[in-house]
């Protein structure tokens, strides 16, 4: 009897040269048949066996037979390993409001999304998952970046695409490293030793869940009177005050606030969508006394289709219960708060005043425990079992969870790449530089000379330095983010930029896939000007005015300097003091300015001025 890993199952996509392995009785003779070819092998003393199957053409469906196991609906195509954290994991359902016309069924895309989880007692032998086509009910659950990546490639190349997806939200790079590498880093090894202790994960999780549940239970008990008023529509307006939706005045540090508003519907439509921005930390929204959507934590957008028949012509009421457990309960500014309809009649809920009141005040909630941020865990559970599955390349979107301590990222990511290539030799690896994020007025100055919130800028520079690894590329997404959302909605541009690199690296196209890329910086003594040279800078242009650089001068002063564009160069005005270093785009959420003729942005960078021109 043989046993195959779950990834070798109906609907799978194989590369033209594909390794398939499994377990059987030791020293067992095993036969297989694929594409009218017969294969033979013998399992080793541990029972492991493997085949290398070959195909000459893309396409399908085919049938693969290994002894009595029959795998149907097998296609030959390009296969990509897709990993990272939540911005790689974000589903298409969150993209429909903004990119719905670009989300269509495409059976040429087949995806194996690995079940999320972690374990610390060694790599698992198998994962939980199944192959699905990018169509029907599954499409909303499909990860958006891999989908748009594949769709972009299919505009040029009509062959099946397989996506082996292993991302997990909240995971730092150390979570994706094997134990051997983690043990080489003292601070990481200590964290691993802690979670490997017998019963530690289970007991800590149970204790945390108990404390958090008690906090919410107490909060609910205090707030129950107001909830009863709401459901019975018997408001005591002496409890309520009036304010603008985004006004945080009077909001407690932690606890519950309620907001309610009457609005008018002129004409009943069957496609009303509630798009209520983003709320921290969790919320429940009611329309005319009926719950329409509940969001359990701060990151997903608060959005739903309003059930038909719920809205009435004339006056209606919306009420929102916001719970702040680790932050003040508030409505995030800069988002859309509206009831929308494709046929018109949109209702701006941010317009006018709201009634509001405090439902309950509380101390800060006990912190919930997640072990997705610990070393080795997701590697063991999600990644290790699929390594070796034949792929054409890796696309990676991760780094946000390393912004708290960014200086070690480059070395850890390089170790990750080296480990991956121990399975795949010189595998093309295309990674995403983290997008612009963070309100510049809500973050402290850090990192020496710089701008508010430089942690993300440091992480981006660490990622840029990883390009010294051969056969790697970086998709710059510094213009794809949102200052008020860790999970920006534009995953289409991210997928397209990853696909540009894939077209060049894997499909062999002679195309420009990078934006303007820093080459060198000079100080011209004769004119006392700073000159920054770029590659890939044909048609260099600035968006939103003149580009700026942050310059550290030899007298230790720091100034933001406007620059002119001259061909593939940025040039500062004459008369600058002699500089020591320059930075471009050096903030968590910088104002992006520089693009090439292909609409691709320049990566932020920092560079010490080593050359002096005359």
């Amino acid at each position: 009897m043989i046993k195959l890993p779950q990834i070798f199952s109906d609907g799978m996509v194989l590369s033209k040269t594909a390794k398939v392995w499994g377990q059987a009785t030791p020293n067992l003779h095993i036969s297989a048949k694929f594409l009218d070819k017969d294969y033979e092998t013998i399992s080793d003393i541990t029972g492991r066996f493997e085949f290398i199957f070959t195909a000459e053409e893309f396409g399908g469906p085919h049938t693969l037979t290994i002894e009595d196991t029959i795998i149907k609906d097998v296609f030959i195509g390009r296969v990509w390993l897709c990993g990272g954290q939540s911005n790689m994991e974000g589903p298409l359902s969150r993209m429909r409001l903004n990119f719905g016309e670009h989300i269509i069924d495409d059976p040429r895309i087949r995806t194996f999304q690995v079940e999320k989880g972690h374990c610390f007692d060694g790599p698992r032998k198998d994962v939980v998952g199944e192959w699905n086509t990018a169509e029907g009910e599954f499409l909303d659950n499909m990860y958006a970046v891999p989908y748009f990546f594949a769709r972009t490639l299919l505009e040029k190349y009509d062959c099946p695409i397989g996506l082996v997806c292993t991302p997990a939200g909240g995971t730092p790079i150390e979570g994706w490293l094997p134990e051997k590498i983690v043990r080489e880093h003292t601070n990481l090894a200590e964290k691993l030793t802690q979670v490997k202790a017998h019963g530690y994960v289970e007991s800590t999780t149970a204790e945390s869940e108990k404390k958090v549940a008690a906090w919410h239970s107490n909060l609910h008990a205090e707030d129950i009177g107001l909830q009863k008023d709401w459901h019975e529509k018997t408001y005591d307006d002496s409890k309520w005050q009036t304010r603008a939706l985004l006004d945080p005045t009077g909001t407690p540090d932690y606890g519950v606030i309620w907001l309610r508003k009457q609005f008018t519907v002129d004409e009943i439509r069957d496609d009303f969508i509630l798009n209520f921005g983003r709320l921290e930390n969790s919320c429940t929204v009611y329309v005319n006394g009926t719950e329409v959507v509940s969001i359990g934590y701060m990151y997903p957008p608060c959005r739903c289709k309003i059930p038909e028949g719920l809205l009435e012509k004339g006056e209606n009421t919306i009420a929102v219960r916001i719970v702040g457990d680790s932050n003040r309960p508030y409505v995030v500014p800069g988002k859309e708060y509206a009831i929308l309809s494709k046929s018109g009649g949109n209702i701006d809920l941010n317009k006018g005043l709201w009634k509001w009141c405090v439902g309950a005040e509380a101390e800060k909630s006990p912190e919930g425990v997640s072990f997705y941020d610990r070393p080795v865990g997701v590697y063991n559970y999600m990644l290790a079992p699929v390594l070796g599955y034949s792929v054409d390349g890796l696309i990676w979107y991760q780094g946000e969870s390393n912004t708290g301590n960014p200086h070690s990222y480059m070395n850890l990511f390089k170790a990750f790449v080296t480990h991956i290539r121990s399975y795949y030799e010189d595998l093309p690896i295309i990674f995403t530089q983290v997008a612009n994020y963070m309100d510049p007025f809500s973050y402290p100055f850090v990192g020496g000379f710089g701008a508010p919130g430089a942690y993300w800028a440091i992480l981006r520079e660490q990622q840029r330095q990883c390009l010294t690894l051969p056969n790697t590329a970086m998709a710059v997404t510094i213009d794809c983010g949102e200052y008020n959302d860790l999970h920006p909605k534009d995953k289409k541009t991210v997928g397209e930029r990853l696909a540009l690199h894939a077209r060049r690296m894997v499909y062999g196209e002679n195309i420009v896939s990078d934006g303007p890329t820093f080459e060198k910086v000079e100080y011209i003594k004769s004119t006392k000007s700073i000159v920054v040279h770029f590659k890939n800078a044909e048609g260099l242009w600035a968006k939103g005015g003149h580009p700026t650089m942050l310059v550290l001068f030899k007298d230790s002063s720091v100034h933001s300097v406007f620059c002119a564009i001259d061909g593939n160069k940025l040039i500062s005005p004459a008369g600058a003091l002699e500089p020591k270093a320059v930075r471009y785009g050096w903030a968590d959420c910088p104002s992006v300015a520089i693009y090439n003729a292909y609409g691709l942005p320049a990566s932020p960078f920092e560079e010490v001025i080593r050359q002096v021109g005359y």
Side-chain angles (χ1 to χ4, degrees):
M1 182 177 179
I2 67 167
K3 180 176 176 56
L4 298 174
Q6 186 62 36
I7 197 168
F8 300 118
S9 54
D10 292 351
M12 68 180 177
V13 181
L14 295 177
S15 298
K16 283 187 174 180
T17 300
K19 180 169 71 173
V20 175
W21 66 89
Q23 286 293 126
T25 304
N27 302 311
L28 181 69
H29 183 274
I30 302 169
S31 61
K33 190 177 186 67
F34 187 53
L35 295 176
D36 296 324
K37 295 179 184 178
D38 293 317
Y39 296 82
E40 306 284 338
T41 192
I42 299 175
S43 59
D44 65 19
I45 59 172
T46 70
R48 178 183 168 88
F49 67 88
E50 67 177 49
F51 290 98
I52 304 295
F53 298 114
T54 59
E56 294 181 0
E57 297 180 353
F58 295 122
H62 306 294
T63 298
L64 169 62
T65 302
I66 303 178
E67 292 293 326
D68 295 332
T69 299
I70 299 174
I71 304 174
K72 297 174 290 185
D73 200 27
V74 178
F75 281 77
I76 306 300
R78 296 287 191 182
V79 185
W80 292 86
L81 185 60
C82 312
Q85 57 181 112
S86 54
N87 275 310
M88 182 65 89
E89 185 187 9
L92 282 170
S93 59
R94 296 184 187 178
M95 309 296 131
R96 283 203 177 273
L97 185 63
N98 302 98
F99 298 98
E101 68 273 22
H102 301 287
I103 301 172
I104 61 174
D105 288 359
D106 195 331
R108 297 172 297 175
I109 304 172
R110 292 166 175 251
T111 181
F112 187 93
Q113 293 183 178
V114 172
E115 178 190 72
K116 288 176 59 178
H118 51 69
C119 66
F120 301 98
D121 56 357
R124 299 173 77 219
K125 298 296 184 183
D126 202 357
V127 294
V128 176
E130 62 180 359
W131 286 93
N132 286 281
T133 55
E135 56 186 346
E137 294 182 2
F138 174 74
L139 195 56
D140 269 355
N141 296 318
M142 187 174 174
Y143 302 151
V145 169
Y147 172 83
F148 287 122
F149 169 79
R151 284 281 300 158
T152 303
L153 292 176
L154 287 167
E155 291 175 1
K156 292 276 294 181
Y157 304 99
D158 186 19
C159 76
I161 290 182
L163 303 168
V164 179
C165 299
T166 66
T171 51
I173 189 62
E174 49 265 36
W176 299 103
L177 296 176
E179 185 166 343
K180 178 182 178 181
I181 294 175
V182 165
R183 291 295 183 192
E184 297 171 359
H185 301 267
T186 302
N187 61 323
L188 301 183
E190 290 174 353
K191 292 180 181 180
L192 179 58
T193 298
Q194 182 185 52
V195 294
K196 284 174 72 73
H198 179 71
Y200 176 82
V201 171
E202 294 77 10
S203 62
T204 303
T205 300
E207 182 180 358
S208 170
E209 290 177 348
K210 182 178 179 180
K211 289 179 179 179
V212 172
W215 186 90
H216 282 280
S217 178
N218 292 336
L219 196 70
H220 180 80
E222 288 188 40
D223 188 39
I224 192 66
L226 191 58
Q227 294 188 64
K228 183 173 181 292
D229 289 349
W230 164 245
H231 287 296
E232 296 180 1
K233 302 182 182 179
T234 56
Y235 316 119
D236 177 1
D237 266 346
S238 65
K239 299 177 182 179
W240 297 76
Q241 303 175 58
T242 301
R243 75 180 194 189
L245 177 63
L246 301 179
D247 184 357
T249 305
T251 301
D253 289 339
Y254 311 102
V256 177
I257 64 168
W258 283 78
L259 297 146
R260 67 178 171 90
K261 180 184 178 66
Q262 286 190 303
F263 60 95
T264 301
V265 175
D266 294 327
E267 181 181 342
I268 299 299
R269 295 172 170 82
D270 61 4
D271 65 342
F272 276 126
I273 298 291
L274 173 67
N275 185 33
F276 207 72
R278 195 169 69 83
L279 306 158
E280 293 200 11
N281 295 107
S282 61
C283 69
T284 306
V285 181
Y286 306 86
V287 174
N288 290 339
T290 298
E291 180 181 324
V292 293
V293 61
S294 182
I295 304 297
Y297 65 110
M298 68 178 72
Y299 292 125
C302 185
R303 185 180 300 156
C304 69
K305 186 180 187 302
I306 298 179
E308 289 186 45
L310 184 57
L311 291 176
E312 302 171 359
K313 188 172 182 178
E315 291 297 310
N316 295 264
T317 304
I318 182 172
V320 185
R321 180 179 187 258
I322 309 174
V323 178
D325 50 22
S326 59
N327 293 307
R328 173 184 288 189
Y330 78 104
V331 180
V332 175
K335 294 289 187 178
E336 183 176 48
Y337 296 88
I339 295 175
L340 308 172
S341 170
K342 289 183 179 178
S343 56
N346 293 346
I347 300 165
D348 184 358
L349 296 174
N350 196 15
K351 187 176 181 180
L353 298 176
W354 286 64
K355 293 285 189 179
W356 81 282
C357 68
V358 176
E361 293 190 50
E363 298 294 322
K364 185 177 181 179
S365 167
E367 288 191 18
V369 174
S370 170
F371 291 97
Y372 281 94
D373 63 346
R374 306 303 172 90
V376 171
V378 285
Y379 171 83
N380 282 346
Y381 192 92
M382 301 178 67
L383 184 57
V386 301
L387 288 178
Y389 190 92
S390 299
V391 299
D392 291 271
L394 165 68
I395 58 172
W396 185 258
Y397 192 169
Q398 184 276 328
E400 297 91 339
S401 287
N402 288 95
T403 53
N405 182 24
H407 295 88
S408 61
Y409 188 85
M410 177 183 66
N411 288 333
L412 293 177
F413 185 75
K414 286 184 174 182
F416 168 77
V417 170
T418 299
H419 179 70
I420 293 295
R421 286 180 172 165
S422 68
Y423 288 85
Y424 296 107
E425 296 183 1
D426 193 27
L427 185 74
I429 292 178
I430 309 168
F431 58 93
T432 309
Q433 190 183 51
V434 293
N436 47 313
Y437 173 60
M438 291 296 291
D439 186 342
F441 295 104
S442 67
Y443 221 59
F445 280 83
V446 295
F449 99 93
Y455 292 109
W456 285 63
I458 295 168
L459 193 284
R460 291 187 197 105
E461 178 64 13
Q462 289 273 307
Q463 291 180 309
R464 188 178 74 92
Q465 295 298 331
C466 291
L467 290 170
T468 56
L469 288 165
N471 208 21
T472 61
M474 182 176 73
V476 177
T477 64
I478 195 63
D479 56 344
C480 297
E482 301 172 36
Y483 82 90
N484 56 5
D485 203 332
L486 181 62
H487 302 125
K489 58 182 177 289
D490 185 5
K491 297 299 189 289
K492 182 173 180 289
T493 299
V494 178
E496 290 169 346
R497 290 182 182 167
L498 289 165
L500 273 177
H501 288 300
R503 287 168 56 188
R504 177 180 57 81
M505 299 171 71
V506 174
Y507 293 82
E509 284 193 64
N510 183 23
I511 60 171
V512 174
S513 58
D514 283 302
T517 306
F518 172 83
E519 186 174 28
K520 63 180 179 179
V521 57
E522 299 174 317
Y523 177 63
I524 310 300
K525 285 188 174 181
S526 59
T527 58
K528 294 186 177 180
S529 59
I530 303 165
V531 181
V532 179
H533 298 255
F534 293 93
K535 298 180 293 185
N536 306 311
E538 180 184 357
L540 191 66
W541 61 282
K543 182 178 181 180
H546 289 289
T548 60
M549 290 185 296
L550 202 64
V551 183
L552 173 65
F553 294 100
K554 287 197 173 180
D555 66 355
S556 297
S557 64
V558 179
H559 297 283
S560 182
V561 177
F562 283 103
C563 299
I565 293 175
D566 180 10
N568 67 338
K569 301 184 289 292
L570 293 183
I571 303 177
S572 74
L577 298 173
E578 191 167 345
K580 291 173 64 177
V582 297
R583 284 173 168 173
Y584 162 74
W586 199 262
D588 278 354
C589 195
S591 298
V592 179
I594 313 171
Y595 293 79
N596 61 15
Y598 304 93
L600 299 172
S603 166
F605 65 86
E606 69 171 347
E607 191 70 28
V608 174
I609 299 177
R610 297 186 177 89
Q611 281 189 297
V612 178
Y614 293 92

